[in-house]
Amino acid sequence: MIKRVFRSICLVAIVVFLASLALIMGALYEYFSDVAQGQLKMQTSLAAQGVGNEGMEYFRGLEVANYRISWIGADGSVLYDSESDHAAMENHLEREEVREALASGYGESRRYSSTLMERSLYCAQKLGDGTVLRLSMYQNSILMLLWGMAQPVCMVIAIAVILSVVLAVRISRNIVKPLNEIDLDHPLSNEGYDELSPLLRRIDSQQRQLQGQKADLLQKQNELDTIIGSMNEGMVLLNQKGKIISMNPAAGKLLDAAPGRAGADMLSLCRGLGLQEILTKALRGEQGENRIYLRGENYQINADPIVAGGTVIGTALFFFNVTEKERAEQMRREFTANVSHELKTPLHSISGYAELLKNDIVKEGDKVSFAGKIYDEAQRMIQLVEDIISLSCLDEGGGDMQREDTDFYDLARSAVCSLEAQAEAAGVTVKVSGESAVLEGIPRLLYSIVYNLCDNAVKYNRRNGSVDVTVRRGKEGIVLTVEDTGIGIAPEHQGRIFERFYRVDKSRSKEVGGTGLGLSIVKHAAKIHHAGIEMESTVGKGTAVTVTFPDV
Ligand code: ADP
């Protein structure tokens, strides 16, 4: 801009200067021509008087420099001429000044030479005898004048140009300075040109608008980043060439890639036919899903095409960890198979014994024993079904069960009391010790914990063995310990006995009426109460199970 202003100022200054120079020179030339014409007129008047008095005598010995003097007869013939031979000169009647003088007594004219180099001024005066005296002088034409003054004129022009350039530089800088100093961050605080005020106001309002939009965008971006960043599922956005545009931290961790790996090829980070297949589908505009095995876990990948204006511009990939889900599904399948199997055995027994009784092929003395076996199997089934019901309740999380303050010591005593007959039959002594310990929990589940542990301690004991049940309140919370002097559990089984239907010795478990679900129920019930379970067992010596309920 500064260059443009500078050029404009220079151009205007030079044009104005040259135009002024031409006009002034023209005006001066005309002025001095008028002055010279005036002098010539006076000279003509004086010479006319002389010629009027003396006639031809006046010219004798007349010395005229710079002037030409001519005496013209009334018929236009030249009677005398100070420069040329008058006899050879043409008739002057048609000359403008002569014609005017003859007509009105005085005439004048100005004429350029054929080369425009000179200009002649003429003054003619009519004498008393009808003749005309004419004086003329030469004057340089304006072109010649300029030519003669070329040197000083050029100097003046040079000085004017230099001055114009210097002034133009300064003026253009001064004009542009306020524009350069405009603070666009605070448009209204500028005190430059008044003409800029509407523009600055407009900039200010647009800036406010932009800032508002920017803040909105930033907020939305932050919200989106927070949502995407806190997602447990991996999310990767790809362009239409399968290159990564962005990914959330979960995906970065899963693919072992820094979140800034934008531009990397997705398939170079995660190879696999499954992924390739759904990516190809997504680029065709079709939604796809597949399962892949990554870092020891199973993932379901969903690929959704991102469509804009009818064309696929990228793909959104989502990674869902389905390991737990698959494990739960597997467990459910196993559980169903186990339940069916566990129910089938007593049902077969019941059906067999009942068939024998129905066909009346059982000896009269064996009938009671058969009925007893049917009863035992039915009891086992009832126990099994009850355990299954308890477990499915626990699988639901026990959320709708009422929590209330429960004295754990009382629960232990009541459980032991209900096991008294069973213990006596097994020849096992059961003892409860400790102190009252009130805990806020689900009484039914707390009871099932202590009952199942005591039941196992009696079932897997030896004759004349003992069971010690202790309830105490320690600094870690309420601690229940069930210690027996039974058969113990080998170390390789200790980690698995809490699994559903896992039994160390299946036949012994069945013999003592076990279902293989007791410890699973204990584990779930403890989990609902945030309790921890520890087990110490030595084969042939006994087992001690400790359940700790931390203070909430
Ligand atoms: P069950 O109904 O068969 O007793 P549990 O889930 O209660 O099922 O126990 C699983 C298995 O753990 C039992 O079959 C048994 O082999 C073993 N077990 C549990 N408690 C004891 C214990 N106190 N002493 C020895 N073995 C035990």
Side-chain angles (χ1 to χ4, degrees), residues 220-360:
K220 280 186 186 137
Q221 180 72 42
N222 283 344
E223 282 169 10
L224 201 68
D225 283 352
T226 315
I227 293 168
I228 293 173
S230 57
M231 265 167 61
N232 287 331
E233 291 76 29
M235 194 188 102
V236 183
L237 293 179
L238 307 175
N239 66 11
Q240 66 269 54
K241 288 181 182 155
K243 306 261 189 250
I244 295 170
I245 299 169
S246 71
M247 63 168 79
N248 70 349
K253 212 163 136 192
L254 184 65
L255 301 170
D256 198 16
R261 279 291 295 274
D265 194 299
M266 181 63 204
L267 289 172
S268 70
L269 290 180
C270 177
R271 292 174 194 285
L273 276 175
L275 177 64
Q276 197 171 351
E277 201 180 292
I278 57 168
L279 276 182
T280 320
K281 264 178 98 177
L283 290 178
R284 283 202 310 262
E286 295 168 35
Q287 206 252 352
E289 63 174 61
N290 226 327
R291 292 207 172 182
I292 61 163
Y293 186 70
L294 254 178
R295 305 192 174 278
E297 313 237 38
N298 289 323
Y299 284 88
Q300 178 183 318
I301 319 177
N302 282 22
D304 294 297
I306 303 169
V307 182
T311 47
V312 178
I313 56 161
T315 309
L317 275 183
F318 296 93
F319 292 77
F320 301 99
N321 189 335
V322 290
T323 318
E324 263 315 306
K325 197 175 149 200
E326 284 186 348
R327 199 173 293 152
E329 273 168 15
Q330 177 69 17
M331 269 176 68
R332 209 164 297 137
R333 277 198 295 274
E334 278 174 16
F335 184 67
T336 315
N338 280 329
V339 168
S340 320
H341 180 76
E342 294 292 329
L343 285 173
K344 211 168 75 183
T345 320
L347 270 175
H348 272 304
S349 301
I350 291 171
S351 158
Y353 291 127
E355 193 180 11
L356 290 174
L357 286 171
K358 186 187 86 176
N359 294 335
D360 201 16

Side-chain angles (χ1 to χ4, degrees), residues 178-250:
L179 297 176
N180 284 338
E181 285 175 352
I182 287 177
D183 179 5
L184 286 176
D185 291 334
H186 310 95
L188 297 184
S189 66
N190 295 291
E191 290 173 357
Y193 299 109
D194 289 347
E195 292 78 3
L196 286 178
S197 295
L199 178 70
L200 292 174
R201 276 201 296 276
R202 186 77 185 267
I203 290 175
D204 183 63
S205 85
Q206 282 186 346
Q207 242 172 26
R208 276 169 212 275
Q209 255 177 1
L210 279 175
Q211 270 163 6
Q213 285 169 354
K214 198 174 150 190
D216 281 354
L217 277 176
L218 212 69
Q219 194 190 342
K220 280 186 186 137
Q221 180 72 42
N222 283 344
E223 282 169 10
L224 201 68
D225 283 352
T226 315
I227 293 168
I228 293 173
S230 57
M231 265 167 61
N232 287 331
E233 291 76 29
M235 194 188 102
V236 183
L237 293 179
L238 307 175
N239 66 11
Q240 66 269 54
K241 288 181 182 155
K243 306 261 189 250
I244 295 170
I245 299 169
S246 71
M247 63 168 79
N248 70 349

Side-chain angles (χ1 to χ4, degrees), residues 445-458:
L445 298 186
L446 295 174
Y447 182 79
S448 71
I449 292 174
V450 67
Y451 180 87
N452 277 307
L453 290 177
C454 293
D455 183 38
N456 282 352
V458 171

Side-chain angles (χ1 to χ4, degrees), residues 452-453 456-457 459-460 484 487-489 497 499 502-505 509 513-520 543:
N452 277 307
L453 290 177
N456 282 352
K459 280 194 300 194
Y460 304 106
D484 65 62
I487 57 172
I489 306 159
I497 54 170
E499 289 174 18
Y502 190 84
R503 285 168 279 205
V504 177
D505 181 348
S509 165
T515 59
L517 294 173
L519 287 181
S520 297
T543 305

